[in-house]
Structures are given as structure tokens and as C-alpha cells.
Amino acid sequence: MSVLSQHLEDIEALFLEAGIEIFDIVPSILGGEDTVLTDRQKLVGSIVIDIGGDTTSLAVYENMHLLAVHTIALGSNDVTNDIALG
């Protein structure tokens, strides 16, 4: 996940203070899995890669199961800056 635990705790406290119960927190890479992968793709094995400005998130599927979720501190801003310097 690409958020500091302190910030996550602050957000949870804010919702609880407002009387809103949080049932679950889902990483954004998992929020759109059904829009980009079919069941067949999840069955045979696929990787969803979300390249953001500051981070890149990956979700790995095989046999209809989520195997791994990772966030890398490298995003499109880094690539753009490297191209500009080159």
C-alpha cells in the first residue's frame, strides 16, 4: 500500500469521529480488477500494473486467486524526470 500507516490511522480516526463505520480498506490496485481482467485471465495467470505519478502498484493473479500485491516507489514522474535529464 502506498500510504504511511500514520496517515491511514488518522483517516480511520476521522471517519470514526464522524460516526462512519469502516468495514474494510482495499488497496486501489484491487478496486478495478474486474474492469481490466476477465475470469479467464485470472485463471491462467495475469499481472495488473498501475503506473501512477509517484508509485507503481502490481497485483498478481493465478487460478482465480490473488497471489501478491506490491507497491514500488517508482512512477511516471520519475521516468519523465529521467528523460528530461537525458
Side-chain angles (χ1 to χ4, degrees), residues 47-70:
I47 299 175
V48 177
I49 301 173
D50 179 12
I51 303 173
D54 296 320
T55 61
T56 299
S57 299
L58 302 113
V60 181
Y61 294 89
E62 188 174 27
N63 293 327
M64 297 295 290
H65 297 287
L66 177 65
L67 298 181
V69 176
H70 293 285

Side-chain angles (χ1 to χ4, degrees), residues 4 11-12 15 18 21-22 28 35-36 39 42 44-45 47 53 58-59 62 65-66 69 73 77 79:
L4 294 173
I11 291 170
E12 289 174 334
F15 276 92
E21 185 178 354
I22 299 173
S28 61
T35 59
V36 296
D39 285 342
K42 290 181 193 177
V44 298
I47 299 175
L58 302 113
E62 188 174 27
H65 297 287
L66 177 65
V69 176
N77 291 339
V79 174

Side-chain angles (χ1 to χ4, degrees), residues 17-49:
E17 190 175 305
I20 300 170
E21 185 178 354
I22 299 173
F23 292 106
D24 201 1
I25 296 174
V26 178
S28 61
I29 188 71
L30 301 180
E33 69 182 54
D34 290 331
T35 59
V36 296
L37 289 180
T38 64
D39 285 342
R40 171 97 174 116
Q41 290 170 324
K42 290 181 193 177
L43 180 66
V44 298
S46 297
I47 299 175
V48 177
I49 301 173

